[in-house]
mmCIF file of all heavy atoms in Angstrom:
data_model
loop_
_atom_site.group_PDB
_atom_site.id
_atom_site.type_symbol
_atom_site.label_atom_id
_atom_site.label_comp_id
_atom_site.label_asym_id
_atom_site.label_seq_id
_atom_site.Cartn_x
_atom_site.Cartn_y
_atom_site.Cartn_z
ATOM 1 N N ASP A 1 0.802 -1.223 0.000
ATOM 2 C CA ASP A 1 0.000 0.000 0.000
ATOM 3 C C ASP A 1 0.836 1.275 0.000
ATOM 4 O O ASP A 1 0.686 2.149 0.860
ATOM 5 C CB ASP A 1 -0.946 0.004 1.204
ATOM 6 C CG ASP A 1 -1.878 -1.195 1.207
ATOM 7 O OD1 ASP A 1 -2.092 -1.772 0.125
ATOM 8 O OD2 ASP A 1 -2.380 -1.561 2.279
ATOM 9 N N GLY A 2 1.725 1.377 -0.968
ATOM 10 C CA GLY A 2 2.506 2.601 -1.103
ATOM 11 C C GLY A 2 3.892 2.545 -0.531
ATOM 12 O O GLY A 2 4.668 3.500 -0.687
ATOM 13 N N ASP A 3 4.276 1.463 0.159
ATOM 14 C CA ASP A 3 5.659 1.335 0.628
ATOM 15 C C ASP A 3 6.600 1.392 -0.572
ATOM 16 O O ASP A 3 6.335 0.809 -1.619
ATOM 17 C CB ASP A 3 5.876 0.002 1.345
ATOM 18 C CG ASP A 3 5.202 -0.057 2.710
ATOM 19 O OD1 ASP A 3 4.857 1.005 3.243
ATOM 20 O OD2 ASP A 3 5.035 -1.176 3.231
ATOM 21 N N THR A 4 7.724 2.080 -0.412
ATOM 22 C CA THR A 4 8.709 2.174 -1.491
ATOM 23 C C THR A 4 10.034 1.558 -1.052
ATOM 24 O O THR A 4 10.257 0.372 -1.230
ATOM 25 C CB THR A 4 8.891 3.633 -1.924
ATOM 26 O OG1 THR A 4 9.206 4.449 -0.777
ATOM 27 C CG2 THR A 4 7.622 4.168 -2.584
ATOM 28 N N GLU A 5 10.902 2.355 -0.464
ATOM 29 C CA GLU A 5 12.219 1.837 -0.089
ATOM 30 C C GLU A 5 12.165 0.941 1.138
ATOM 31 O O GLU A 5 12.933 -0.029 1.249
ATOM 32 C CB GLU A 5 13.171 3.008 0.170
ATOM 33 C CG GLU A 5 14.602 2.576 0.447
ATOM 34 C CD GLU A 5 15.558 3.745 0.596
ATOM 35 O OE1 GLU A 5 15.092 4.912 0.467
ATOM 36 O OE2 GLU A 5 16.763 3.498 0.833
ATOM 37 N N TYR A 6 11.268 1.238 2.052
ATOM 38 C CA TYR A 6 11.233 0.502 3.319
ATOM 39 C C TYR A 6 9.868 -0.160 3.507
ATOM 40 O O TYR A 6 8.836 0.416 3.188
ATOM 41 C CB TYR A 6 11.534 1.443 4.489
ATOM 42 C CG TYR A 6 12.909 2.062 4.393
ATOM 43 C CD1 TYR A 6 13.058 3.397 4.024
ATOM 44 C CD2 TYR A 6 14.048 1.305 4.638
ATOM 45 C CE1 TYR A 6 14.316 3.961 3.920
ATOM 46 C CE2 TYR A 6 15.313 1.866 4.529
ATOM 47 C CZ TYR A 6 15.443 3.193 4.170
ATOM 48 O OH TYR A 6 16.687 3.745 4.057
ATOM 49 N N PRO A 7 9.866 -1.396 4.064
ATOM 50 C CA PRO A 7 8.620 -2.152 4.176
ATOM 51 C C PRO A 7 7.866 -1.849 5.467
ATOM 52 O O PRO A 7 8.442 -1.370 6.450
ATOM 53 C CB PRO A 7 9.115 -3.596 4.181
ATOM 54 C CG PRO A 7 10.437 -3.507 4.899
ATOM 55 C CD PRO A 7 11.042 -2.189 4.466
ATOM 56 N N THR A 8 6.605 -2.197 5.473
ATOM 57 C CA THR A 8 5.817 -2.114 6.696
ATOM 58 C C THR A 8 6.124 -3.280 7.627
ATOM 59 O O THR A 8 6.200 -3.114 8.845
ATOM 60 C CB THR A 8 4.312 -2.098 6.350
ATOM 61 O OG1 THR A 8 4.020 -0.902 5.635
ATOM 62 C CG2 THR A 8 3.450 -2.154 7.598
ATOM 63 N N ILE A 9 6.300 -4.471 7.067
ATOM 64 C CA ILE A 9 6.597 -5.663 7.867
ATOM 65 C C ILE A 9 7.962 -6.183 7.472
ATOM 66 O O ILE A 9 8.237 -6.432 6.302
ATOM 67 C CB ILE A 9 5.533 -6.745 7.658
ATOM 68 C CG1 ILE A 9 4.162 -6.231 8.132
ATOM 69 C CG2 ILE A 9 5.913 -8.037 8.387
ATOM 70 C CD1 ILE A 9 3.023 -7.194 7.867
ATOM 71 N N CYS A 10 8.840 -6.328 8.474
ATOM 72 C CA CYS A 10 10.202 -6.797 8.240
ATOM 73 C C CYS A 10 10.549 -7.855 9.271
ATOM 74 O O CYS A 10 10.526 -7.594 10.474
ATOM 75 C CB CYS A 10 11.185 -5.629 8.330
ATOM 76 S SG CYS A 10 12.899 -6.098 7.968
ATOM 77 N N GLY A 11 10.837 -9.072 8.809
ATOM 78 C CA GLY A 11 11.226 -10.145 9.713
ATOM 79 C C GLY A 11 12.672 -10.029 10.147
ATOM 80 O O GLY A 11 13.411 -9.135 9.720
ATOM 81 N N THR A 12 13.110 -10.962 10.978
ATOM 82 C CA THR A 12 14.455 -10.901 11.553
ATOM 83 C C THR A 12 15.385 -11.988 11.041
ATOM 84 O O THR A 12 16.548 -12.038 11.439
ATOM 85 C CB THR A 12 14.369 -11.001 13.081
ATOM 86 O OG1 THR A 12 13.718 -12.231 13.447
ATOM 87 C CG2 THR A 12 13.591 -9.824 13.659
ATOM 88 N N GLY A 13 14.904 -12.867 10.174
ATOM 89 C CA GLY A 13 15.762 -13.913 9.632
ATOM 90 C C GLY A 13 14.928 -14.998 8.988
ATOM 91 O O GLY A 13 13.724 -15.125 9.262
ATOM 92 N N THR A 14 15.567 -15.775 8.121
ATOM 93 C CA THR A 14 14.832 -16.781 7.361
ATOM 94 C C THR A 14 14.228 -17.844 8.267
ATOM 95 O O THR A 14 13.042 -18.178 8.156
ATOM 96 C CB THR A 14 15.761 -17.427 6.320
ATOM 97 O OG1 THR A 14 16.284 -16.402 5.464
ATOM 98 C CG2 THR A 14 15.013 -18.442 5.479
ATOM 99 N N GLU A 15 15.019 -18.408 9.187
ATOM 100 C CA GLU A 15 14.474 -19.439 10.054
ATOM 101 C C GLU A 15 13.428 -18.868 11.006
ATOM 102 O O GLU A 15 12.489 -19.560 11.421
ATOM 103 C CB GLU A 15 15.576 -20.175 10.817
ATOM 104 C CG GLU A 15 16.118 -19.465 12.058
ATOM 105 C CD GLU A 15 17.298 -18.576 11.749
ATOM 106 O OE1 GLU A 15 17.185 -17.742 10.827
ATOM 107 O OE2 GLU A 15 18.329 -18.697 12.434
ATOM 108 N N ASP A 16 13.548 -17.574 11.329
ATOM 109 C CA ASP A 16 12.552 -16.941 12.192
ATOM 110 C C ASP A 16 11.208 -16.843 11.467
ATOM 111 O O ASP A 16 10.149 -17.102 12.049
ATOM 112 C CB ASP A 16 13.016 -15.544 12.604
ATOM 113 C CG ASP A 16 14.439 -15.545 13.148
ATOM 114 O OD1 ASP A 16 14.868 -16.606 13.631
ATOM 115 O OD2 ASP A 16 15.106 -14.507 13.060
ATOM 116 N N TYR A 17 11.246 -16.455 10.195
ATOM 117 C CA TYR A 17 10.003 -16.337 9.425
ATOM 118 C C TYR A 17 9.299 -17.681 9.316
ATOM 119 O O TYR A 17 8.063 -17.756 9.391
ATOM 120 C CB TYR A 17 10.284 -15.782 8.027
ATOM 121 C CG TYR A 17 9.072 -15.836 7.128
ATOM 122 C CD1 TYR A 17 7.959 -15.029 7.374
ATOM 123 C CD2 TYR A 17 9.022 -16.720 6.047
ATOM 124 C CE1 TYR A 17 6.832 -15.101 6.564
ATOM 125 C CE2 TYR A 17 7.900 -16.789 5.234
ATOM 126 C CZ TYR A 17 6.806 -15.982 5.499
ATOM 127 O OH TYR A 17 5.686 -16.061 4.704
ATOM 128 N N PHE A 18 10.059 -18.758 9.152
ATOM 129 C CA PHE A 18 9.461 -20.078 9.043
ATOM 130 C C PHE A 18 9.238 -20.716 10.411
ATOM 131 O O PHE A 18 9.060 -21.924 10.533
ATOM 132 C CB PHE A 18 10.316 -20.969 8.147
ATOM 133 C CG PHE A 18 10.247 -20.568 6.692
ATOM 134 C CD1 PHE A 18 11.254 -19.809 6.112
ATOM 135 C CD2 PHE A 18 9.153 -20.916 5.915
ATOM 136 C CE1 PHE A 18 11.186 -19.423 4.777
ATOM 137 C CE2 PHE A 18 9.072 -20.536 4.581
ATOM 138 C CZ PHE A 18 10.081 -19.782 4.011
ATOM 139 N N CYS A 19 9.256 -19.871 11.446
ATOM 140 C CA CYS A 19 8.859 -20.221 12.815
ATOM 141 C C CYS A 19 9.801 -21.213 13.484
ATOM 142 O O CYS A 19 9.397 -21.986 14.360
ATOM 143 C CB CYS A 19 7.425 -20.740 12.842
ATOM 144 S SG CYS A 19 6.224 -19.549 12.213
ATOM 145 N N GLY A 20 11.081 -21.202 13.078
ATOM 146 C CA GLY A 20 12.118 -21.942 13.770
ATOM 147 C C GLY A 20 13.089 -20.967 14.403
ATOM 148 O O GLY A 20 12.815 -19.763 14.511
ATOM 149 N N SER A 21 14.243 -21.475 14.817
ATOM 150 C CA SER A 21 15.275 -20.591 15.365
ATOM 151 C C SER A 21 16.616 -21.312 15.349
ATOM 152 O O SER A 21 16.685 -22.530 15.162
ATOM 153 C CB SER A 21 14.929 -20.169 16.808
ATOM 154 O OG SER A 21 14.986 -21.280 17.697
ATOM 155 N N TYR A 22 17.659 -20.539 15.522
ATOM 156 C CA TYR A 22 19.024 -21.055 15.653
ATOM 157 C C TYR A 22 19.344 -22.125 14.609
ATOM 158 O O TYR A 22 19.696 -23.265 14.917
ATOM 159 C CB TYR A 22 19.274 -21.573 17.073
ATOM 160 C CG TYR A 22 19.307 -20.459 18.094
ATOM 161 C CD1 TYR A 22 18.279 -20.315 19.009
ATOM 162 C CD2 TYR A 22 20.343 -19.529 18.105
ATOM 163 C CE1 TYR A 22 18.289 -19.273 19.932
ATOM 164 C CE2 TYR A 22 20.367 -18.488 19.030
ATOM 165 C CZ TYR A 22 19.336 -18.360 19.932
ATOM 166 O OH TYR A 22 19.336 -17.333 20.831
ATOM 167 N N ASN A 23 19.199 -21.723 13.336
ATOM 168 C CA ASN A 23 19.659 -22.542 12.212
ATOM 169 C C ASN A 23 18.883 -23.840 12.030
ATOM 170 O O ASN A 23 19.349 -24.727 11.304
ATOM 171 C CB ASN A 23 21.147 -22.893 12.348
ATOM 172 C CG ASN A 23 22.017 -21.695 12.603
ATOM 173 O OD1 ASN A 23 21.589 -20.551 12.459
ATOM 174 N ND2 ASN A 23 23.249 -21.938 12.988
ATOM 175 N N PHE A 24 17.739 -23.985 12.677
ATOM 176 C CA PHE A 24 16.983 -25.242 12.638
ATOM 177 C C PHE A 24 17.829 -26.406 13.161
ATOM 178 O O PHE A 24 17.625 -27.565 12.772
ATOM 179 C CB PHE A 24 16.508 -25.574 11.218
ATOM 180 C CG PHE A 24 15.592 -24.560 10.587
ATOM 181 C CD1 PHE A 24 15.967 -23.916 9.416
ATOM 182 C CD2 PHE A 24 14.359 -24.258 11.140
ATOM 183 C CE1 PHE A 24 15.129 -22.989 8.816
ATOM 184 C CE2 PHE A 24 13.515 -23.337 10.545
ATOM 185 C CZ PHE A 24 13.893 -22.697 9.384
ATOM 186 N N GLU A 25 18.782 -26.121 14.043
ATOM 187 C CA GLU A 25 19.685 -27.176 14.518
ATOM 188 C C GLU A 25 18.979 -28.130 15.475
ATOM 189 O O GLU A 25 18.079 -27.740 16.225
ATOM 190 C CB GLU A 25 20.878 -26.556 15.249
ATOM 191 C CG GLU A 25 21.843 -25.813 14.355
ATOM 192 C CD GLU A 25 22.993 -25.216 15.137
ATOM 193 O OE1 GLU A 25 23.086 -25.477 16.352
ATOM 194 O OE2 GLU A 25 23.801 -24.490 14.538
ATOM 195 N N THR A 26 19.428 -29.389 15.456
ATOM 196 C CA THR A 26 19.002 -30.333 16.479
ATOM 197 C C THR A 26 19.456 -29.805 17.832
ATOM 198 O O THR A 26 20.652 -29.595 18.056
ATOM 199 C CB THR A 26 19.617 -31.717 16.214
ATOM 200 O OG1 THR A 26 19.240 -32.159 14.902
ATOM 201 C CG2 THR A 26 19.153 -32.723 17.255
ATOM 202 N N PRO A 27 18.554 -29.547 18.762
ATOM 203 C CA PRO A 27 18.908 -28.817 19.986
ATOM 204 C C PRO A 27 19.951 -29.486 20.864
ATOM 205 O O PRO A 27 20.725 -28.803 21.538
ATOM 206 C CB PRO A 27 17.561 -28.714 20.720
ATOM 207 C CG PRO A 27 16.531 -28.842 19.667
ATOM 208 C CD PRO A 27 17.106 -29.784 18.660
ATOM 209 N N LEU A 28 20.005 -30.803 20.885
ATOM 210 C CA LEU A 28 20.919 -31.480 21.803
ATOM 211 C C LEU A 28 22.326 -31.621 21.238
ATOM 212 O O LEU A 28 23.311 -31.383 21.937
ATOM 213 C CB LEU A 28 20.355 -32.857 22.175
ATOM 214 C CG LEU A 28 19.022 -32.844 22.937
ATOM 215 C CD1 LEU A 28 18.560 -34.265 23.212
ATOM 216 C CD2 LEU A 28 19.157 -32.062 24.237
ATOM 217 N N THR A 29 22.448 -32.013 19.981
ATOM 218 C CA THR A 29 23.770 -32.292 19.422
ATOM 219 C C THR A 29 24.320 -31.155 18.570
ATOM 220 O O THR A 29 25.526 -31.076 18.356
ATOM 221 C CB THR A 29 23.717 -33.571 18.568
ATOM 222 O OG1 THR A 29 22.773 -33.377 17.502
ATOM 223 C CG2 THR A 29 23.268 -34.761 19.421
ATOM 224 N N HIS A 30 23.458 -30.305 18.034
ATOM 225 C CA HIS A 30 23.867 -29.167 17.196
ATOM 226 C C HIS A 30 24.708 -29.606 15.991
ATOM 227 O O HIS A 30 25.567 -28.857 15.525
ATOM 228 C CB HIS A 30 24.658 -28.143 18.030
ATOM 229 C CG HIS A 30 23.917 -27.643 19.220
ATOM 230 N ND1 HIS A 30 22.901 -26.721 19.140
ATOM 231 C CD2 HIS A 30 24.028 -27.968 20.539
ATOM 232 C CE1 HIS A 30 22.430 -26.464 20.353
ATOM 233 N NE2 HIS A 30 23.087 -27.217 21.215
ATOM 234 N N ASP A 31 24.463 -30.811 15.488
ATOM 235 C CA ASP A 31 25.274 -31.304 14.375
ATOM 236 C C ASP A 31 24.456 -31.649 13.138
ATOM 237 O O ASP A 31 24.986 -32.209 12.174
ATOM 238 C CB ASP A 31 26.080 -32.537 14.818
ATOM 239 C CG ASP A 31 25.197 -33.698 15.242
ATOM 240 O OD1 ASP A 31 23.952 -33.530 15.278
ATOM 241 O OD2 ASP A 31 25.740 -34.777 15.545
ATOM 242 N N SER A 32 23.160 -31.313 13.135
ATOM 243 C CA SER A 32 22.314 -31.631 11.985
ATOM 244 C C SER A 32 21.069 -30.756 12.020
ATOM 245 O O SER A 32 20.767 -30.114 13.031
ATOM 246 C CB SER A 32 21.930 -33.112 11.982
ATOM 247 O OG SER A 32 21.171 -33.429 13.138
#
């Protein structure tokens, strides 16, 4: 609705937008 250079909604990262966090890592081993 008229936004040009800057958006109205801006997320904080790709995994954040897809409702994950921290690289989608396995929480216990952090290796996959």
Side-chain angles (χ1 to χ4, degrees):
D1 301 338
D3 288 343
T4 54
E5 185 176 359
Y6 299 106
T8 295
I9 298 176
C10 183
T12 58
T14 302
E15 80 269 52
D16 310 335
Y17 171 68
F18 289 100
C19 301
S21 67
Y22 291 109
N23 309 347
F24 299 119
E25 290 180 6
T26 303
L28 297 179
T29 60
H30 303 284
D31 62 356
S32 62

